[in-house]
Amino acid sequence: RMTSHNMTWISYPSKSLAFVSPEEIEAFIASQNIISRLMHCYIAFFVPTGLIAGICILIIFIKNYLQYKVIENLDLLLLHFTISNIIMTFLSFTVITRPDYLKATHLACNVLSFFFNFSYFNSQYVLILMLLILLLKRFPPRTALSKATQRPILCVGFVLIYAFCLSLTEAVLVGTDNYHLETDCQLDPLFAWPEYEIIKFTFGFGIPSFLQIFCFIVLFTKEAPAEAPALQQHIRTYPTAYVISITIFICRLFYNVMILFRTTFKLQKSIGSPKNELVMNIAEILLFCESCASLVFILCFHKPCK
């Protein structure tokens, strides 16, 4: 049974550091400078590029649908993925205040966190659906699974419900105390219970990564039917999902490892050091860069967009 956690003791190292030596002060200033530069670089280059790519993708898909009155399964999933990433990019504006943090009430921070997690889980599981559909294109089965993937709207509906339930669980694990109090807000709130990070790692990275790796193993090791095109030809025909898959795995691996480190600090009742805080900030900005990069990859590699 989960009991209420008292997380009032937790704070950011940069907010609660008692400096005792000039070296510590220099290290602190250096880490603040790095966070600030990264934030400016992200806002100046990645955000405009990602949003322009996202808007172009939406225009192309809508135009194609109005022209042909039909949308391919893969296109529908990519459209859903694009919308999730655009929302994630808008939510990433919360990093504008870095190296300081956005000031918000616990309730407002929890609401922001809910929408962030919803986009995060959404994009992760829609990608799994894409890989599954591409796998079934190469190894056509005569099973219920094949019929299910022929109804992408049903699959998208399932992903939306699943992502909503996971995000709601995460919102509960942020904690139900002090809703009216103002706090330093991050999209993964620092004051969340340790279970928050454990659930996020398990369902937002562990399980999806296992499924991604499984899809790649089947793709590269299973012998395709004689009529199927060569593996290189298959990857060249559908490069988008594979490129995005590798990008997401690399960026989210770093981010999720940092989230687990943060949990270990919470369990040890420690706030960590400014260096830990710096690396967590780098991981968060890298995650947002991945959202923008994925939109650019769709625009560059997906045939209807090209």
Side-chain angles (χ1 to χ4, degrees):
R1 193 173 67 84
M2 202 176 286
T3 55
S4 181
H5 296 268
N6 179 15
M7 298 301 292
T8 50
W9 60 270
I10 203 159
S11 67
Y12 289 99
S14 60
K15 299 279 185 181
S16 55
L17 210 62
F19 298 110
V20 289
S21 69
E23 289 80 17
E24 278 184 326
I25 296 168
E26 280 173 27
F28 171 74
I29 292 167
S31 75
Q32 297 285 84
N33 280 339
I34 293 166
I35 295 168
S36 182
R37 280 179 192 162
L38 276 173
M39 181 276 291
H40 283 114
C41 179
Y42 168 70
I43 296 293
F45 299 110
F46 283 87
V47 170
T49 313
L51 288 177
I52 291 164
I55 291 160
C56 290
I57 294 160
L58 293 181
I59 291 166
I60 290 161
F61 280 148
I62 291 163
K63 201 173 152 192
N64 284 357
Y65 179 73
L66 292 173
Q67 196 172 345
Y68 303 111
K69 297 288 179 231
V70 67
I71 188 160
E72 287 278 319
N73 292 1
L74 192 64
D75 286 358
L76 182 69
L77 295 180
L78 281 170
L79 179 64
H80 183 79
F81 182 85
T82 300
I83 294 165
S84 272
N85 280 26
I86 289 171
I87 293 167
M88 187 113 76
T89 305
F90 278 119
L91 286 168
S92 75
F93 280 115
T94 53
V95 303
I96 283 178
T97 53
R98 298 293 153 82
D100 203 352
Y101 294 90
L102 183 75
K103 293 277 184 246
T105 61
H106 281 242
L107 177 62
C109 195
N110 202 347
V111 170
L112 282 173
S113 176
F114 172 83
F115 286 109
F116 167 62
N117 282 323
F118 188 58
S119 302
Y120 180 90
F121 291 127
N122 230 331
S123 56
Q124 190 75 69
Y125 285 97
V126 165
L127 178 67
I128 302 296
L129 264 182
M130 278 190 253
L131 292 176
L132 191 63
I133 282 177
L134 293 182
L135 212 56
L136 294 174
K137 277 185 187 285
R138 186 155 172 78
F139 309 103
R142 292 159 185 83
T143 61
L145 186 66
S146 176
K147 284 177 189 166
T149 54
Q150 292 308 310
R151 301 173 70 182
I153 290 174
L154 201 70
C155 295
V156 165
F158 175 75
V159 167
L160 283 170
I161 293 164
Y162 184 58
F164 178 81
C165 293
L166 283 174
S167 306
L168 208 57
T169 307
E170 291 290 68
V172 171
L173 294 173
V174 168
T176 51
D177 305 327
N178 310 316
Y179 266 155
H180 58 288
L181 296 180
E182 201 175 65
T183 185
D184 292 312
C185 180
Q186 217 173 348
L187 289 177
D188 279 316
L190 182 72
F191 54 86
W193 299 350
E195 288 89 346
Y196 173 95
E197 280 103 356
I198 293 162
I199 294 283
K200 183 142 187 176
F201 178 84
T202 308
F203 291 93
F205 183 74
I207 294 169
S209 295
F210 170 77
L211 293 171
Q212 265 176 265
I213 291 163
F214 174 76
C215 285
F216 274 99
I217 288 169
V218 172
L219 182 73
F220 286 107
T221 59
K222 193 173 179 294
E223 201 174 324
E227 67 274 11
L231 180 61
Q232 287 89 340
Q233 180 62 40
H234 170 80
I235 291 169
R236 272 203 297 272
T237 310
Y238 308 104
T240 321
Y242 298 118
V243 172
I244 291 170
S245 186
I246 293 160
T247 312
I248 279 188
F249 179 79
I250 293 164
C251 295
R252 293 195 178 185
L253 173 66
F254 179 44
Y255 181 71
N256 279 274
V257 167
M258 287 305 108
I259 269 185
L260 280 190
F261 269 119
R262 198 167 82 168
T263 316
T264 57
F265 286 130
K266 284 181 185 180
L267 295 171
Q268 292 162 2
K269 287 272 195 262
S270 161
I271 62 166
S273 67
K275 192 180 175 185
N276 302 133
E277 187 181 352
L278 166 67
V279 178
M280 185 70 219
N281 272 286
I282 292 169
E284 188 182 30
I285 291 170
L286 186 67
L287 177 79
F288 295 138
C289 289
E290 170 261 300
S291 285
C292 299
S294 292
L295 294 171
V296 174
F297 291 148
I298 293 171
L299 195 63
C300 294
F301 294 116
H302 189 54
K303 272 205 179 99
C305 296
K306 278 204 280 187

